[in-house]
Amino acid sequence: MSLFSKQNKAAFIEPLHLNNPIMVQVLGICSALAVTSQLKPAIVMGLAVTIITAFSNVIISIIRNTIPQRIRIIVQLVVVAALVTIVNQVLKAFAYDVSVQLSVYVGLIITNCILMGRLEAFAMANKPWPSFLDGIGNGLGYAAILVIVGLFREFFGRGSLLGFQILPDSLYDLGYMNNGMMSMSCTALILIGVVIWVNRAYFDKGDK
């Protein structure tokens, strides 16, 4: 089978829009609410989930025929926990400030429903390469929503992006004020709802 066959391309591309884990499947909402108050932690969280999903998919796919059916969930959790621990230690070593911002949410990737769903639904039934593409696609699809929400929340809530002030001081001198509601999780939920609405309205229009 070609590395970039139609099936493999679909495994990678569909989670980015047509089968996006947040916009379509409405999974992983909790972490999306928690880590998107600023753009930087949203990007790091998205990359962490992408890396862990991709490599856990590959590992489970490689050993899928040797995993006893009765303990498959336990094996999946062990693999994910090991990868999460590695990623967490790397973040503490090279991006400690972001690691502090993400707090316990990196550890909670272990129970991320997107990740566990891909292991059970895809990696357990497919070869390593398609599983890798599926993991990358779902991770990037998840990360894209986090980045969109994080961008809006930081820009309108702090007037900055990636910690750098975007709005000039002269605008604040004229009376402009940052929107404090952007720091609240309820606003993140509203933004995600808007993203889902726009996505579904766009594709519905395309289908018609």
Side-chain angles (χ1 to χ4, degrees), residues 140-151:
L140 291 178
Y142 167 83
I145 306 304
L146 263 64
V147 168
I148 292 171
V149 175
L151 186 150

Side-chain angles (χ1 to χ4, degrees), residues 105-124:
Y105 295 104
V106 175
L108 289 176
I109 294 175
I110 296 173
T111 57
N112 190 301
C113 48
I114 298 172
L115 197 152
M116 296 305 298
R118 299 325 298 165
L119 293 177
E120 184 70 10
F122 199 93
M124 287 292 292

Side-chain angles (χ1 to χ4, degrees), residues 25-199:
Q25 301 176 49
V26 197
L27 300 174
I29 297 294
C30 296
S31 57
L33 301 181
V35 302
T36 55
S37 60
Q38 296 182 56
L39 184 56
K40 189 174 182 179
I43 293 173
V44 173
M45 184 67 169
L47 290 176
V49 170
T50 300
I51 293 169
I52 293 169
T53 305
F55 285 98
S56 61
N57 264 16
V58 171
I59 294 171
I60 292 299
S61 177
I62 291 172
I63 65 174
R64 69 187 188 282
N65 293 326
T66 65
I67 302 175
Q69 189 71 8
R70 291 179 296 177
I71 62 168
R72 69 187 190 284
I73 301 298
I74 297 174
V75 174
Q76 292 169 12
L77 286 172
V78 170
V79 170
V80 173
L83 291 171
V84 167
T85 301
I86 293 171
V87 169
N88 195 26
Q89 293 303 311
V90 170
L91 285 177
K92 287 182 178 179
F94 298 101
Y96 183 75
D97 57 332
V98 179
S99 176
V100 171
Q101 286 180 291
L102 292 176
S103 183
V104 299
Y105 295 104
V106 175
L108 289 176
I109 294 175
I110 296 173
T111 57
N112 190 301
C113 48
I114 298 172
L115 197 152
M116 296 305 298
R118 299 325 298 165
L119 293 177
E120 184 70 10
F122 199 93
M124 287 292 292
N126 290 275
K127 294 181 178 180
W129 177 245
S131 297
F132 178 76
L133 293 177
D134 178 80
I136 290 289
N138 277 276
L140 291 178
Y142 167 83
I145 306 304
L146 263 64
V147 168
I148 292 171
V149 175
L151 186 150
F152 276 94
R153 291 184 71 187
E154 183 175 355
F155 181 78
F156 290 105
R158 299 170 182 264
S160 63
L161 288 176
L162 295 174
F164 298 99
Q165 184 173 335
I166 302 298
L167 298 179
D169 291 332
S170 58
L171 189 61
Y172 292 100
D173 294 338
L174 293 174
Y176 177 81
M177 296 179 62
N178 293 325
N179 189 337
M181 286 188 62
M182 286 293 172
S183 62
M184 302 172 62
S185 296
C186 61
T187 304
L189 184 61
I190 293 171
L191 287 173
I192 291 174
V194 171
V195 170
I196 293 173
W197 170 72
V198 170
N199 175 70

